[in-house]
């Protein structure tokens, strides 16, 4: 097992590699995001007695969700730790660490990116090949086994993994056997979380599916995220659940911050220091707000102040060189 790591401005990308140095997992952490394990000082903004929960202001754009049976009141100050990163339609979730007196709210400490076991892995240089693999994780199609493929899709309630024989001439049993390690790798690499439904191909019963589930269970144990495999449903699908801690990789790669980091990298790739950048109003708000520290670091690396303008006609960004400077 190997670890390849790189840090770009305030963005950290880590790839974990198997013995053939093929990526089986990626972790991306942007220091301005609310990440798994972060500690915050916050203030109780809203109490929901029926759910025994609270919304906590941690000095971010959105409050975080705190389930707790403690006797807390609106206006109380607390220390909380992020246990689940935010996703579309869901706030980040936190657990209560301590109740404190009045105190400025905000970040105390960023969570550890790597576990102690991961920290001991030998490190190798980051390769651009890993960036290609990283971008490919948004592709719902994963080909394998003589033309067979996985189709990985998400609904609002669950992830679906369908094994499709496609153009493969292999027996269904062989396709299922070869699919299992690919499924495990894709679950870990893409950080699929929540409910997952797997549809194996061909005739499905306990006798022929059980060995596949034992193999899947053993392969998923290499990664620390808790999971449960529920077995075979009446309709012949395998149901499982994986804890949601970090965001699914596709959400990280398509987030507003991802677009900002694409802009930052593009700026660094242009040799001229005389640039004017037109960005969408929302991206502008991100850059002068949560990403201000990273923007300052970018200007320091360029050795000049950069001109950035909010442009209502922009949906992303445009970089223009000031040739007359």
């Amino acid at each position: 097992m190997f670890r390849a790591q790189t840090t770009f401005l305030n963005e950290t990308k880590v790839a974990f590699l198997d013995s053939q140095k093929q990526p089986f997992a990626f972790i991306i952490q942007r220091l301005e995001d609310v990440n798994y394990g972060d500690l915050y000082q916050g203030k109780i903004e809203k109490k929901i007695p029926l759910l025994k929960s609270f919304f906590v202001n941690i000095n971010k754009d959105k409050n975080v969700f705190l389930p707790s049976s403690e006797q807390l009141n609106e206006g109380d100050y607390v220390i909380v730790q992020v246990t689940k990163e935010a996703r579309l339609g869901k706030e980040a979730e936190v657990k209560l660490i301590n109740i404190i007196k009045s105190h400025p709210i905000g970040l105390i400490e960023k969570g550890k990116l790597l576990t102690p076991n991961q920290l001991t892995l030998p490190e190798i240089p980051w390769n651009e090949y890993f960036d290609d693999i990283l971008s490919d994780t948004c592709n719902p199609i994963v080909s394998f086994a003589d033309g067979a493929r996985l189709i990985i899709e998400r609904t609002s309630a669950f992830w679906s993994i369908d094994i499709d024989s496609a153009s493969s001439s292999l027996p269904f049993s062989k396709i299922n056997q070869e699919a299992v390690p690919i499924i495990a790798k894709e679950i870990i690499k893409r950080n699929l979380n929540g409910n997952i439904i797997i549809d194996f191909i061909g005739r499905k019963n306990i006798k022929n599916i059980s060995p596949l589930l034992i193999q899947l269970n053993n392969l998923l144990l290499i990664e620390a995220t808790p999971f449960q495999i529920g077995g075979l449903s009446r309709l012949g699908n395998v149901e499982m659940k994986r804890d949601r801690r970090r965001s699914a990789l596709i959400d990280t790669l398509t987030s507003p911050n991802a677009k900002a980091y694409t802009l930052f990298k593009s700026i660094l790739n242009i040799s001229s220091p005389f640039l004017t950048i037109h960005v969408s109003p929302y991206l502008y708000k991100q850059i002068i707000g949560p990403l201000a520290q990273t923007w300052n670091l970018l200007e320091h690396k360029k050795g000049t102040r950069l001109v950035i303008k909010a442009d209502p006609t922009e949906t992303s960004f445009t970089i223009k060189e000031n040739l007359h400077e």
Side-chain angles (χ1 to χ4, degrees):
M1 204 91 73
F2 303 86
R3 172 167 60 94
Q5 182 169 358
T6 182
T7 300
F8 168 68
L9 297 177
N10 282 336
E11 176 189 52
T12 299
K13 293 188 290 189
V14 178
F16 298 106
L17 316 175
D18 60 22
S19 57
Q20 285 76 44
K21 297 187 179 180
Q22 296 294 313
F24 71 85
F26 286 98
I27 298 174
I28 294 183
Q29 184 178 57
R30 298 185 169 109
L31 297 186
E32 299 80 5
D33 288 340
V34 179
N35 296 120
Y36 175 73
D38 292 353
L39 280 173
Y40 284 91
Q41 292 172 163
K43 180 181 178 182
I44 303 293
E45 292 283 346
K46 186 176 181 181
K47 183 176 181 177
I48 311 173
L50 289 177
L51 298 179
K52 294 184 178 179
S53 58
F54 308 86
F55 284 103
V56 183
N57 182 357
I58 58 171
N59 199 27
K60 292 287 185 178
D61 287 344
K62 293 184 178 180
N63 292 340
V64 294
F65 181 71
L66 169 65
S68 176
S69 58
E70 292 285 340
Q71 296 299 315
L72 301 172
N73 296 301
E74 293 175 1
D76 287 351
Y77 287 83
V78 291
I79 294 178
V80 294
Q81 186 172 37
V82 180
T83 56
K84 295 181 181 179
E85 295 181 359
R87 62 185 174 93
L88 187 63
K90 292 283 187 179
E91 304 84 3
E93 188 171 313
V94 297
K95 66 178 180 181
L96 181 66
I97 301 298
N98 202 1
I99 303 171
I100 57 176
K101 296 180 179 179
S102 176
H103 202 286
I105 61 176
L107 179 67
I108 300 175
E109 182 182 354
K110 293 301 294 182
K112 291 183 178 180
L113 180 62
L114 306 178
T115 66
N117 287 340
Q118 291 168 341
L119 282 169
T120 62
L121 295 178
E123 188 170 333
I124 65 172
W126 185 269
N127 190 306
E128 289 185 1
Y129 164 72
F130 305 145
D131 281 322
D132 294 337
I133 297 294
L134 188 62
S135 62
D136 197 47
T137 56
C138 292
N139 190 341
I141 306 296
V142 181
S143 298
F144 73 100
D146 188 37
R149 61 184 187 171
L150 302 181
I151 303 174
I152 303 173
E153 297 176 308
R154 179 168 62 177
T155 73
S156 59
F158 57 83
W159 290 92
S160 168
I161 302 177
D162 178 51
I163 293 89
D164 179 19
S165 61
S167 60
S168 176
S169 59
L170 295 175
F172 288 166
S173 59
K174 182 66 174 178
I175 292 175
N176 285 337
Q177 289 172 7
E178 298 203 12
V180 170
I182 308 298
I183 291 171
K185 186 173 182 177
E186 292 301 319
I187 287 174
I188 295 171
K189 185 170 68 175
R190 298 173 187 239
N191 195 26
L192 306 188
N193 47 50
N195 297 321
I196 303 172
I197 294 178
I198 305 172
D199 185 15
F200 285 101
I201 196 169
R203 187 177 178 183
K204 291 167 281 189
N205 54 49
I206 295 298
K207 183 179 179 180
N208 58 31
I209 291 295
S210 289
L212 302 177
L213 300 189
I214 292 171
Q215 183 187 9
L216 179 61
N217 182 84
N218 293 337
L219 289 169
L220 290 175
L221 286 174
I222 67 172
E223 206 268 342
T225 304
F227 67 92
Q228 295 176 318
I229 299 178
L232 199 63
S233 73
R234 290 184 177 181
L235 296 179
N237 296 314
V238 172
E239 299 177 353
M240 65 171 290
K241 186 172 185 178
R242 188 165 179 264
D243 279 12
R244 180 172 67 85
R245 292 181 174 180
R246 297 188 178 277
S247 301
L249 189 57
I250 191 171
D251 292 333
T252 305
L253 294 177
T254 57
S255 69
N257 273 8
K259 189 170 290 186
Y261 278 94
T262 300
L263 168 61
F264 299 160
K265 191 169 185 178
S266 300
I267 291 172
L268 287 178
N269 287 337
I270 298 175
S271 58
S272 173
F274 306 116
L275 305 174
T276 297
I277 301 100
H278 293 255
V279 300
S280 67
Y282 186 81
L283 193 54
Y284 181 81
K285 183 181 177 182
Q286 288 294 103
I287 291 171
I288 67 170
L291 297 174
Q293 179 184 357
T294 308
W295 181 257
N296 291 337
L297 180 58
L298 176 68
E299 289 185 321
H300 177 73
K301 284 183 174 292
K302 290 292 288 185
T304 185
R305 293 296 298 270
L306 298 168
V307 180
I308 182 168
K309 298 180 179 180
D311 186 343
T313 65
E314 277 286 349
T315 57
S316 182
F317 62 82
T318 302
I319 304 172
K320 298 181 179 179
E321 186 174 356
N322 301 322
L323 298 177
H324 300 293
E325 292 287 348

